[in-house]
Amino acid sequence: MGTCYLGERADMRAAEKDALARGVALGMGLLDTAEMYGDGAAELLIGDMLRSRSLRRADVTIVTKVCPCNASPPTLYKSCDASLARLGAECIDLYLLHWRDGSVALPEMVGGMEELVSRGKIRRWGVSNFDVADMEELFRAPHGDRCAANQILYHLGSRGAEFDLLPWLAKHGVAAMAYCPLAQGGQMRRTTPDFLTEPTLRNLAGKYNVSIFQILLAFVLRSGNICAIPKAASIRHIEENASAPTLAAAISSEDWAALEAAYPPPSHKMHLDMD
Ligand code: NAP
């Protein structure tokens, strides 16, 4: 489950914690957050949710991210400690570089991440918004091939990663995590044709008696090789999202083919989309 924008409104916090706790109970125990979200508010919400809903640390997998400006030691260590304190956790399961900018020297970042692993502060580390050329450069850094995951924008209307990035990650044993799997509730400007009016998607949703968003999530999960982190703030949305793996298995190959025709896969290298 994603957590962007969660924890930022005092009057919504209780409902958001209920929604996340319901998701954990339904098996969606991977929680994605970042030091940047609400300036730490989303991490605080997760920590609060784990304590107040009496969840065990073992019930969840915590993924959080460091901003590029904090990604070099010793600032990296301070950022990690601050995230751990907000989360009320002793260890982060997966710590990601949120995105890459000119301030990040990859060998230093990798060295810092490996140091955090040896100190027991994080279990694994990874990156986000890295295209193939970035991944190749990362793998040339000492221990860069220990990168566990790359979190990227991927949904039915943004399939560029299928051309080369997803195969590259699979070949090198790096987990792919799809952010914005619902294209932000269908609002993303890059979605063409528009999810909210495209007839094939609507017909499929009607046929399987689900919403178009459940179809979108099922699409991302259909291969079984990609982890999706949809964000939802209500129990209704959480429950709908939790049913997506079952839906993915139920959709017929003819119906997948119809969807592929409406939203074709890439035929050439495309720039990796980013939110
Ligand atoms: P998203 O998950 O594609 O979409 C979230 C939107 O979809 C919300 O408005 C939510 O509404 C709505 N929604 C959720 N379930 C729904 C359902 N069953 N039916 C209808 N609408 C539904 O977009 P996102 O939040 O941008 O991305 C997901 C997560 O990825 C983020 O929260 C964050 O953790 C991560 N992320 C990472 C990066 C990165 O650079 N690494 C960038 C962006 C996002 P409600 O909230 O009202 O339920």
Short mmCIF file of all heavy atoms in Angstrom, two decimals, residues 1-6 12 31-34 36-37 65 96-99 127-129 151-155 178-188 211-214 217 228-242 274-275, ligand 1:
data_model
loop_
_atom_site.label_atom_id
_atom_site.label_comp_id
_atom_site.label_asym_id
_atom_site.label_seq_id
_atom_site.Cartn_x
_atom_site.Cartn_y
_atom_site.Cartn_z
N MET A 1 0.84 -1.20 0.00
CA MET A 1 0.00 0.00 0.00
C MET A 1 0.87 1.24 0.00
O MET A 1 1.83 1.33 0.76
CB MET A 1 -0.90 0.00 1.25
CG MET A 1 -1.92 -1.11 1.24
SD MET A 1 -3.03 -1.04 2.66
CE MET A 1 -1.95 -1.66 3.96
N GLY A 2 0.53 2.20 -0.83
CA GLY A 2 1.21 3.50 -0.83
C GLY A 2 0.68 4.38 0.28
O GLY A 2 -0.42 4.14 0.81
N THR A 3 1.44 5.41 0.60
CA THR A 3 1.00 6.30 1.70
C THR A 3 1.20 7.78 1.37
O THR A 3 1.14 8.61 2.27
CB THR A 3 1.76 5.98 3.00
OG1 THR A 3 3.16 6.22 2.78
CG2 THR A 3 1.53 4.56 3.47
N CYS A 4 1.43 8.10 0.10
CA CYS A 4 1.63 9.50 -0.25
C CYS A 4 0.37 10.30 0.10
O CYS A 4 -0.75 9.86 -0.22
CB CYS A 4 1.91 9.58 -1.76
SG CYS A 4 2.58 11.14 -2.25
N TYR A 5 0.53 11.40 0.73
CA TYR A 5 -0.54 12.31 1.21
C TYR A 5 -1.27 11.80 2.46
O TYR A 5 -2.12 12.52 2.99
CB TYR A 5 -1.59 12.62 0.12
CG TYR A 5 -0.99 13.28 -1.10
CD1 TYR A 5 -1.07 12.69 -2.34
CD2 TYR A 5 -0.31 14.50 -0.98
CE1 TYR A 5 -0.49 13.28 -3.46
CE2 TYR A 5 0.27 15.09 -2.09
CZ TYR A 5 0.18 14.48 -3.32
OH TYR A 5 0.75 15.06 -4.42
N LEU A 6 -0.96 10.60 2.94
CA LEU A 6 -1.61 10.15 4.18
C LEU A 6 -0.89 10.79 5.38
O LEU A 6 0.29 11.09 5.32
CB LEU A 6 -1.55 8.62 4.31
CG LEU A 6 -2.30 7.81 3.25
CD1 LEU A 6 -2.27 6.32 3.59
CD2 LEU A 6 -3.74 8.28 3.11
N MET A 12 -8.31 13.32 9.37
CA MET A 12 -8.40 12.09 8.56
C MET A 12 -7.56 10.94 9.15
O MET A 12 -7.66 9.80 8.70
CB MET A 12 -7.86 12.36 7.15
CG MET A 12 -8.60 13.43 6.38
SD MET A 12 -10.20 12.86 5.84
CE MET A 12 -9.72 11.67 4.60
N LEU A 31 4.12 -1.71 3.19
CA LEU A 31 3.76 -0.30 3.32
C LEU A 31 4.87 0.53 2.71
O LEU A 31 6.02 0.46 3.15
CB LEU A 31 3.58 0.05 4.80
CG LEU A 31 2.53 -0.77 5.56
CD1 LEU A 31 2.61 -0.52 7.05
CD2 LEU A 31 1.14 -0.43 5.04
N ASP A 32 4.51 1.34 1.72
CA ASP A 32 5.50 2.18 1.05
C ASP A 32 5.35 3.62 1.52
O ASP A 32 4.25 4.19 1.49
CB ASP A 32 5.29 2.13 -0.47
CG ASP A 32 6.29 3.04 -1.18
OD1 ASP A 32 7.46 2.62 -1.32
OD2 ASP A 32 5.93 4.18 -1.55
N THR A 33 6.47 4.22 1.94
CA THR A 33 6.41 5.60 2.38
C THR A 33 7.71 6.30 1.99
O THR A 33 8.49 5.78 1.19
CB THR A 33 6.09 5.66 3.90
OG1 THR A 33 5.85 7.00 4.27
CG2 THR A 33 7.19 5.06 4.75
N ALA A 34 7.93 7.50 2.53
CA ALA A 34 9.14 8.26 2.19
C ALA A 34 9.31 9.37 3.21
O ALA A 34 8.31 9.89 3.74
CB ALA A 34 9.04 8.85 0.78
N MET A 36 10.01 12.20 2.49
CA MET A 36 9.46 13.40 1.85
C MET A 36 7.94 13.53 2.04
O MET A 36 7.42 14.64 2.03
CB MET A 36 9.78 13.34 0.36
CG MET A 36 9.48 14.61 -0.40
SD MET A 36 9.88 14.42 -2.15
CE MET A 36 8.40 13.65 -2.76
N TYR A 37 7.22 12.42 2.18
CA TYR A 37 5.76 12.49 2.21
C TYR A 37 5.28 13.24 3.46
O TYR A 37 5.45 12.78 4.59
CB TYR A 37 5.13 11.09 2.17
CG TYR A 37 5.42 10.31 0.91
CD1 TYR A 37 5.22 8.94 0.85
CD2 TYR A 37 5.91 10.94 -0.24
CE1 TYR A 37 5.49 8.21 -0.31
CE2 TYR A 37 6.19 10.22 -1.39
CZ TYR A 37 5.99 8.87 -1.42
OH TYR A 37 6.26 8.15 -2.57
N LYS A 65 11.93 5.86 1.76
CA LYS A 65 12.85 6.40 0.76
C LYS A 65 13.57 7.64 1.28
O LYS A 65 12.98 8.44 2.01
CB LYS A 65 12.10 6.79 -0.52
CG LYS A 65 11.13 5.74 -1.00
CD LYS A 65 10.47 6.15 -2.31
CE LYS A 65 9.17 5.41 -2.50
NZ LYS A 65 8.04 5.94 -1.72
N LEU A 96 15.03 2.97 -0.06
CA LEU A 96 15.25 3.32 -1.47
C LEU A 96 15.78 4.74 -1.64
O LEU A 96 15.36 5.65 -0.90
CB LEU A 96 13.92 3.22 -2.24
CG LEU A 96 13.14 1.91 -2.19
CD1 LEU A 96 11.84 2.04 -2.99
CD2 LEU A 96 13.97 0.75 -2.72
N LEU A 97 16.63 4.92 -2.62
CA LEU A 97 16.95 6.27 -3.10
C LEU A 97 15.73 6.72 -3.90
O LEU A 97 15.35 6.08 -4.89
CB LEU A 97 18.19 6.23 -4.00
CG LEU A 97 18.49 7.54 -4.75
CD1 LEU A 97 18.83 8.68 -3.79
CD2 LEU A 97 19.62 7.33 -5.76
N HIS A 98 15.10 7.83 -3.49
CA HIS A 98 13.78 8.20 -4.05
C HIS A 98 13.86 8.51 -5.55
O HIS A 98 13.01 8.12 -6.33
CB HIS A 98 13.23 9.40 -3.27
CG HIS A 98 11.74 9.52 -3.32
ND1 HIS A 98 10.99 10.06 -2.32
CD2 HIS A 98 10.84 9.18 -4.28
CE1 HIS A 98 9.71 10.04 -2.63
NE2 HIS A 98 9.60 9.51 -3.84
N TRP A 99 14.82 9.26 -5.94
CA TRP A 99 15.11 9.49 -7.36
C TRP A 99 16.54 9.95 -7.45
O TRP A 99 17.19 10.23 -6.44
CB TRP A 99 14.13 10.50 -7.98
CG TRP A 99 14.31 11.92 -7.54
CD1 TRP A 99 15.06 12.89 -8.14
CD2 TRP A 99 13.71 12.56 -6.38
NE1 TRP A 99 14.96 14.08 -7.44
CE2 TRP A 99 14.14 13.91 -6.36
CE3 TRP A 99 12.86 12.12 -5.35
CZ2 TRP A 99 13.76 14.81 -5.36
CZ3 TRP A 99 12.48 13.03 -4.37
CH2 TRP A 99 12.92 14.36 -4.38
N VAL A 127 16.52 1.41 -5.31
CA VAL A 127 16.43 2.72 -5.96
C VAL A 127 15.01 2.93 -6.47
O VAL A 127 14.17 2.02 -6.40
CB VAL A 127 17.44 2.83 -7.13
CG1 VAL A 127 18.88 2.77 -6.63
CG2 VAL A 127 17.18 1.73 -8.17
N SER A 128 14.77 4.12 -6.98
CA SER A 128 13.47 4.42 -7.57
C SER A 128 13.68 5.36 -8.75
O SER A 128 14.60 6.20 -8.73
CB SER A 128 12.57 5.08 -6.52
OG SER A 128 11.32 5.39 -7.09
N ASN A 129 12.84 5.21 -9.76
CA ASN A 129 12.90 6.06 -10.95
C ASN A 129 14.21 5.89 -11.72
O ASN A 129 14.70 6.84 -12.33
CB ASN A 129 12.67 7.52 -10.58
CG ASN A 129 11.29 7.74 -9.99
OD1 ASN A 129 10.29 7.50 -10.65
ND2 ASN A 129 11.23 8.18 -8.74
N GLN A 151 11.78 1.00 -7.85
CA GLN A 151 10.37 1.40 -7.82
C GLN A 151 10.13 2.40 -8.95
O GLN A 151 10.77 3.45 -8.99
CB GLN A 151 10.05 2.02 -6.46
CG GLN A 151 8.58 2.31 -6.29
CD GLN A 151 8.25 2.86 -4.90
OE1 GLN A 151 7.85 4.02 -4.79
NE2 GLN A 151 8.40 2.05 -3.87
N ILE A 152 9.21 2.05 -9.83
CA ILE A 152 9.01 2.87 -11.04
C ILE A 152 7.53 3.13 -11.29
O ILE A 152 6.68 2.38 -10.83
CB ILE A 152 9.60 2.15 -12.29
CG1 ILE A 152 8.99 0.74 -12.42
CG2 ILE A 152 11.11 2.09 -12.22
CD1 ILE A 152 9.23 0.09 -13.76
N LEU A 153 7.28 4.19 -12.05
CA LEU A 153 5.90 4.47 -12.45
C LEU A 153 5.50 3.45 -13.52
O LEU A 153 6.17 3.33 -14.55
CB LEU A 153 5.81 5.90 -12.99
CG LEU A 153 4.39 6.45 -13.23
CD1 LEU A 153 4.40 7.98 -13.15
CD2 LEU A 153 3.79 6.00 -14.54
N TYR A 154 4.44 2.72 -13.25
CA TYR A 154 3.99 1.72 -14.22
C TYR A 154 2.50 1.49 -14.05
O TYR A 154 2.03 1.20 -12.94
CB TYR A 154 4.75 0.41 -14.01
CG TYR A 154 4.31 -0.72 -14.92
CD1 TYR A 154 4.50 -0.65 -16.30
CD2 TYR A 154 3.71 -1.87 -14.41
CE1 TYR A 154 4.09 -1.68 -17.14
CE2 TYR A 154 3.30 -2.91 -15.23
CZ TYR A 154 3.49 -2.81 -16.59
OH TYR A 154 3.09 -3.83 -17.42
N HIS A 155 1.76 1.67 -15.12
CA HIS A 155 0.34 1.32 -15.12
C HIS A 155 -0.08 1.08 -16.57
O HIS A 155 0.73 1.25 -17.50
CB HIS A 155 -0.51 2.40 -14.43
CG HIS A 155 -0.41 3.78 -15.02
ND1 HIS A 155 -0.93 4.09 -16.24
CD2 HIS A 155 0.20 4.90 -14.56
CE1 HIS A 155 -0.69 5.37 -16.50
NE2 HIS A 155 0.01 5.88 -15.50
N ALA A 178 5.73 -1.24 -8.78
CA ALA A 178 4.98 -0.29 -9.61
C ALA A 178 4.31 0.75 -8.72
O ALA A 178 3.43 0.43 -7.93
CB ALA A 178 3.93 -1.02 -10.42
N TYR A 179 4.72 2.01 -8.89
CA TYR A 179 3.98 3.07 -8.20
C TYR A 179 2.97 3.70 -9.17
O TYR A 179 3.07 3.50 -10.38
CB TYR A 179 4.92 4.07 -7.53
CG TYR A 179 5.66 5.09 -8.37
CD1 TYR A 179 5.02 6.21 -8.91
CD2 TYR A 179 7.03 4.99 -8.58
CE1 TYR A 179 5.70 7.17 -9.63
CE2 TYR A 179 7.73 5.96 -9.31
CZ TYR A 179 7.05 7.04 -9.83
OH TYR A 179 7.73 8.00 -10.56
N CYS A 180 2.00 4.41 -8.60
CA CYS A 180 0.87 4.95 -9.38
C CYS A 180 0.20 3.86 -10.22
O CYS A 180 -0.12 4.08 -11.41
CB CYS A 180 1.29 6.10 -10.29
SG CYS A 180 1.95 7.53 -9.42
N PRO A 181 -0.03 2.65 -9.66
CA PRO A 181 -0.63 1.59 -10.48
C PRO A 181 -2.05 1.92 -10.91
O PRO A 181 -2.55 1.34 -11.87
CB PRO A 181 -0.61 0.38 -9.53
CG PRO A 181 -0.63 0.96 -8.16
CD PRO A 181 0.17 2.24 -8.26
N LEU A 182 -2.69 2.88 -10.20
CA LEU A 182 -4.05 3.30 -10.57
C LEU A 182 -4.02 4.62 -11.32
O LEU A 182 -5.07 5.27 -11.47
CB LEU A 182 -4.90 3.45 -9.30
CG LEU A 182 -4.92 2.25 -8.35
CD1 LEU A 182 -5.59 2.58 -7.04
CD2 LEU A 182 -5.62 1.07 -9.02
N ALA A 183 -2.84 5.00 -11.79
CA ALA A 183 -2.69 6.29 -12.48
C ALA A 183 -3.33 7.41 -11.66
O ALA A 183 -4.01 8.27 -12.18
CB ALA A 183 -3.27 6.23 -13.89
N GLN A 184 -3.09 7.32 -10.36
CA GLN A 184 -3.61 8.31 -9.40
C GLN A 184 -5.13 8.47 -9.52
O GLN A 184 -5.66 9.57 -9.65
CB GLN A 184 -2.88 9.64 -9.55
CG GLN A 184 -1.39 9.49 -9.18
CD GLN A 184 -0.59 10.75 -9.20
OE1 GLN A 184 -0.88 11.66 -9.97
NE2 GLN A 184 0.45 10.81 -8.39
N GLY A 185 -5.80 7.34 -9.49
CA GLY A 185 -7.25 7.36 -9.57
C GLY A 185 -7.72 7.81 -10.95
O GLY A 185 -8.80 8.37 -11.10
N GLY A 186 -6.90 7.52 -11.97
CA GLY A 186 -7.26 7.86 -13.35
C GLY A 186 -6.98 9.31 -13.71
O GLY A 186 -7.32 9.75 -14.82
N GLN A 187 -6.34 10.03 -12.82
CA GLN A 187 -6.16 11.46 -13.06
C GLN A 187 -4.87 11.83 -13.80
O GLN A 187 -4.68 12.98 -14.17
CB GLN A 187 -6.17 12.23 -11.71
CG GLN A 187 -7.47 12.08 -10.94
CD GLN A 187 -8.68 12.45 -11.78
OE1 GLN A 187 -8.71 13.51 -12.39
NE2 GLN A 187 -9.66 11.57 -11.84
N MET A 188 -3.98 10.86 -13.98
CA MET A 188 -2.68 11.21 -14.57
C MET A 188 -2.83 11.71 -16.00
O MET A 188 -3.54 11.13 -16.80
CB MET A 188 -1.73 10.02 -14.53
CG MET A 188 -1.19 9.79 -13.15
SD MET A 188 0.28 8.80 -13.18
CE MET A 188 1.40 9.94 -12.41
N SER A 211 -14.68 -2.34 -10.48
CA SER A 211 -14.45 -0.98 -10.99
C SER A 211 -13.28 -1.00 -11.98
O SER A 211 -12.48 -1.95 -12.01
CB SER A 211 -14.12 -0.04 -9.83
OG SER A 211 -12.81 -0.30 -9.36
N ILE A 212 -13.16 0.06 -12.77
CA ILE A 212 -12.02 0.11 -13.72
C ILE A 212 -10.70 0.12 -12.94
O ILE A 212 -9.68 -0.35 -13.44
CB ILE A 212 -12.09 1.33 -14.67
CG1 ILE A 212 -12.03 2.65 -13.91
CG2 ILE A 212 -13.28 1.25 -15.60
CD1 ILE A 212 -11.70 3.84 -14.80
N PHE A 213 -10.72 0.62 -11.70
CA PHE A 213 -9.47 0.68 -10.93
C PHE A 213 -9.01 -0.71 -10.51
O PHE A 213 -7.81 -0.99 -10.45
CB PHE A 213 -9.63 1.63 -9.74
CG PHE A 213 -9.96 3.01 -10.20
CD1 PHE A 213 -11.26 3.48 -10.14
CD2 PHE A 213 -8.99 3.81 -10.80
CE1 PHE A 213 -11.59 4.75 -10.62
CE2 PHE A 213 -9.32 5.06 -11.29
CZ PHE A 213 -10.61 5.53 -11.21
N GLN A 214 -9.98 -1.57 -10.25
CA GLN A 214 -9.60 -2.96 -9.93
C GLN A 214 -9.00 -3.63 -11.17
O GLN A 214 -8.06 -4.42 -11.06
CB GLN A 214 -10.81 -3.74 -9.42
CG GLN A 214 -11.20 -3.32 -8.00
CD GLN A 214 -12.57 -3.84 -7.62
OE1 GLN A 214 -13.59 -3.37 -8.10
NE2 GLN A 214 -12.60 -4.85 -6.77
N LEU A 217 -5.41 -2.38 -11.49
CA LEU A 217 -4.50 -3.03 -10.54
C LEU A 217 -4.25 -4.48 -10.96
O LEU A 217 -3.10 -4.96 -10.89
CB LEU A 217 -5.12 -2.97 -9.14
CG LEU A 217 -4.21 -3.22 -7.96
CD1 LEU A 217 -2.92 -2.41 -8.05
CD2 LEU A 217 -4.95 -2.88 -6.66
N ALA A 228 2.81 -4.11 -6.69
CA ALA A 228 2.13 -2.82 -6.88
C ALA A 228 1.87 -2.18 -5.53
O ALA A 228 1.63 -2.89 -4.54
CB ALA A 228 0.81 -3.02 -7.61
N ILE A 229 1.93 -0.85 -5.47
CA ILE A 229 1.71 -0.17 -4.19
C ILE A 229 0.61 0.89 -4.34
O ILE A 229 0.88 2.09 -4.23
CB ILE A 229 3.02 0.44 -3.65
CG1 ILE A 229 3.79 1.20 -4.76
CG2 ILE A 229 3.91 -0.62 -3.05
CD1 ILE A 229 4.94 2.06 -4.21
N PRO A 230 -0.63 0.45 -4.57
CA PRO A 230 -1.72 1.43 -4.69
C PRO A 230 -1.94 2.14 -3.37
O PRO A 230 -1.81 1.54 -2.30
CB PRO A 230 -2.94 0.54 -5.01
CG PRO A 230 -2.62 -0.78 -4.39
CD PRO A 230 -1.13 -0.94 -4.55
N LYS A 231 -2.26 3.41 -3.46
CA LYS A 231 -2.59 4.19 -2.25
C LYS A 231 -4.11 4.33 -2.17
O LYS A 231 -4.77 4.68 -3.16
CB LYS A 231 -1.93 5.56 -2.31
CG LYS A 231 -2.34 6.50 -1.18
CD LYS A 231 -3.33 7.53 -1.68
CE LYS A 231 -3.88 8.38 -0.57
NZ LYS A 231 -4.90 9.34 -1.08
N ALA A 232 -4.66 4.05 -1.01
CA ALA A 232 -6.10 4.24 -0.80
C ALA A 232 -6.32 4.70 0.63
O ALA A 232 -5.65 4.23 1.55
CB ALA A 232 -6.85 2.94 -1.07
N ALA A 233 -7.26 5.60 0.79
CA ALA A 233 -7.48 6.19 2.11
C ALA A 233 -8.78 5.71 2.75
O ALA A 233 -9.11 6.14 3.85
CB ALA A 233 -7.49 7.72 1.99
N SER A 234 -9.52 4.85 2.06
CA SER A 234 -10.79 4.38 2.64
C SER A 234 -10.82 2.86 2.66
O SER A 234 -10.18 2.20 1.83
CB SER A 234 -11.96 4.88 1.79
OG SER A 234 -11.97 4.23 0.54
N ILE A 235 -11.58 2.32 3.60
CA ILE A 235 -11.69 0.86 3.71
C ILE A 235 -12.30 0.28 2.43
O ILE A 235 -11.89 -0.77 1.95
CB ILE A 235 -12.48 0.47 4.97
CG1 ILE A 235 -11.58 0.72 6.19
CG2 ILE A 235 -12.95 -0.98 4.92
CD1 ILE A 235 -12.13 0.33 7.52
N ARG A 236 -13.26 1.02 1.83
CA ARG A 236 -13.88 0.51 0.59
C ARG A 236 -12.82 0.32 -0.52
O ARG A 236 -12.74 -0.73 -1.15
CB ARG A 236 -14.99 1.45 0.11
CG ARG A 236 -15.69 0.95 -1.15
CD ARG A 236 -16.96 1.72 -1.42
NE ARG A 236 -16.69 3.09 -1.84
CZ ARG A 236 -16.48 3.48 -3.10
NH1 ARG A 236 -16.49 2.57 -4.06
NH2 ARG A 236 -16.26 4.74 -3.40
N HIS A 237 -12.02 1.34 -0.72
CA HIS A 237 -10.97 1.23 -1.75
C HIS A 237 -9.96 0.14 -1.39
O HIS A 237 -9.51 -0.62 -2.26
CB HIS A 237 -10.25 2.58 -1.91
CG HIS A 237 -11.04 3.58 -2.71
ND1 HIS A 237 -10.69 4.90 -2.81
CD2 HIS A 237 -12.16 3.42 -3.47
CE1 HIS A 237 -11.56 5.52 -3.60
NE2 HIS A 237 -12.46 4.66 -4.00
N ILE A 238 -9.58 0.07 -0.12
CA ILE A 238 -8.61 -0.95 0.30
C ILE A 238 -9.15 -2.35 -0.01
O ILE A 238 -8.44 -3.21 -0.56
CB ILE A 238 -8.32 -0.82 1.82
CG1 ILE A 238 -7.51 0.46 2.11
CG2 ILE A 238 -7.66 -2.08 2.38
CD1 ILE A 238 -6.04 0.39 1.86
N GLU A 239 -10.41 -2.57 0.31
CA GLU A 239 -10.99 -3.91 0.09
C GLU A 239 -11.08 -4.22 -1.41
O GLU A 239 -10.81 -5.34 -1.85
CB GLU A 239 -12.37 -4.02 0.77
CG GLU A 239 -12.20 -4.05 2.30
CD GLU A 239 -13.52 -4.11 3.06
OE1 GLU A 239 -14.58 -3.85 2.45
OE2 GLU A 239 -13.48 -4.40 4.27
N GLU A 240 -11.42 -3.20 -2.19
CA GLU A 240 -11.45 -3.42 -3.65
C GLU A 240 -10.05 -3.78 -4.16
O GLU A 240 -9.89 -4.70 -4.97
CB GLU A 240 -11.94 -2.16 -4.36
CG GLU A 240 -13.44 -1.91 -4.20
CD GLU A 240 -13.90 -0.63 -4.88
OE1 GLU A 240 -13.09 0.05 -5.54
OE2 GLU A 240 -15.09 -0.30 -4.71
N ASN A 241 -9.07 -3.07 -3.67
CA ASN A 241 -7.70 -3.30 -4.15
C ASN A 241 -7.19 -4.68 -3.72
O ASN A 241 -6.46 -5.34 -4.48
CB ASN A 241 -6.77 -2.20 -3.65
CG ASN A 241 -7.16 -0.84 -4.22
OD1 ASN A 241 -7.94 -0.77 -5.18
ND2 ASN A 241 -6.64 0.23 -3.65
N ALA A 242 -7.59 -5.10 -2.54
CA ALA A 242 -7.12 -6.41 -2.04
C ALA A 242 -7.64 -7.55 -2.90
O ALA A 242 -7.04 -8.63 -2.92
CB ALA A 242 -7.56 -6.60 -0.58
N MET A 274 7.79 9.58 -14.86
CA MET A 274 8.06 9.84 -13.44
C MET A 274 6.98 10.76 -12.91
O MET A 274 6.50 11.62 -13.62
CB MET A 274 9.44 10.52 -13.36
CG MET A 274 10.09 10.45 -12.02
SD MET A 274 11.72 11.20 -12.11
CE MET A 274 11.85 11.76 -10.42
N ASP A 275 6.58 10.54 -11.66
CA ASP A 275 5.58 11.43 -11.05
C ASP A 275 6.31 12.62 -10.42
O ASP A 275 7.17 12.43 -9.59
CB ASP A 275 4.79 10.68 -9.99
CG ASP A 275 3.81 11.60 -9.30
OD1 ASP A 275 3.23 12.46 -9.99
OD2 ASP A 275 3.61 11.45 -8.08
P1 NAP B 1 -2.22 5.56 -7.18
O1 NAP B 1 -2.01 4.56 -6.13
O2 NAP B 1 -2.13 5.17 -8.60
O3 NAP B 1 -3.67 6.23 -6.99
C1 NAP B 1 -4.11 6.74 -5.77
C2 NAP B 1 -5.50 7.33 -6.00
O4 NAP B 1 -6.39 6.27 -6.41
C3 NAP B 1 -6.11 7.97 -4.77
O5 NAP B 1 -6.78 9.13 -5.20
C4 NAP B 1 -7.10 6.92 -4.27
O6 NAP B 1 -8.22 7.51 -3.65
C5 NAP B 1 -7.53 6.29 -5.57
N1 NAP B 1 -7.95 4.90 -5.35
C6 NAP B 1 -7.33 3.93 -4.63
N2 NAP B 1 -8.01 2.76 -4.69
C7 NAP B 1 -9.09 3.01 -5.46
C8 NAP B 1 -10.19 2.22 -5.88
N3 NAP B 1 -10.28 0.92 -5.55
N4 NAP B 1 -11.12 2.80 -6.67
C9 NAP B 1 -11.05 4.11 -7.03
N5 NAP B 1 -10.01 4.92 -6.66
C10 NAP B 1 -9.05 4.37 -5.88
O7 NAP B 1 -1.25 6.84 -7.02
P2 NAP B 1 -0.13 7.28 -6.01
O8 NAP B 1 -0.65 7.41 -4.62
O9 NAP B 1 0.53 8.46 -6.61
O10 NAP B 1 0.91 6.07 -6.08
C11 NAP B 1 0.88 5.00 -5.15
C12 NAP B 1 2.01 5.07 -4.17
O11 NAP B 1 3.25 4.96 -4.86
C13 NAP B 1 2.13 6.41 -3.43
O12 NAP B 1 1.18 6.56 -2.40
C14 NAP B 1 3.55 6.32 -2.96
O13 NAP B 1 3.65 5.48 -1.82
C15 NAP B 1 4.25 5.68 -4.16
N6 NAP B 1 4.84 6.66 -5.11
C16 NAP B 1 6.19 6.60 -5.33
C17 NAP B 1 6.78 7.51 -6.18
C18 NAP B 1 8.27 7.46 -6.41
O14 NAP B 1 8.84 8.39 -7.00
N7 NAP B 1 8.94 6.40 -5.98
C19 NAP B 1 6.02 8.49 -6.86
C20 NAP B 1 4.65 8.50 -6.65
C21 NAP B 1 4.07 7.56 -5.79
P3 NAP B 1 -8.39 7.52 -2.03
O15 NAP B 1 -7.08 7.98 -1.48
O16 NAP B 1 -9.52 8.46 -1.85
O17 NAP B 1 -8.72 6.12 -1.60
#
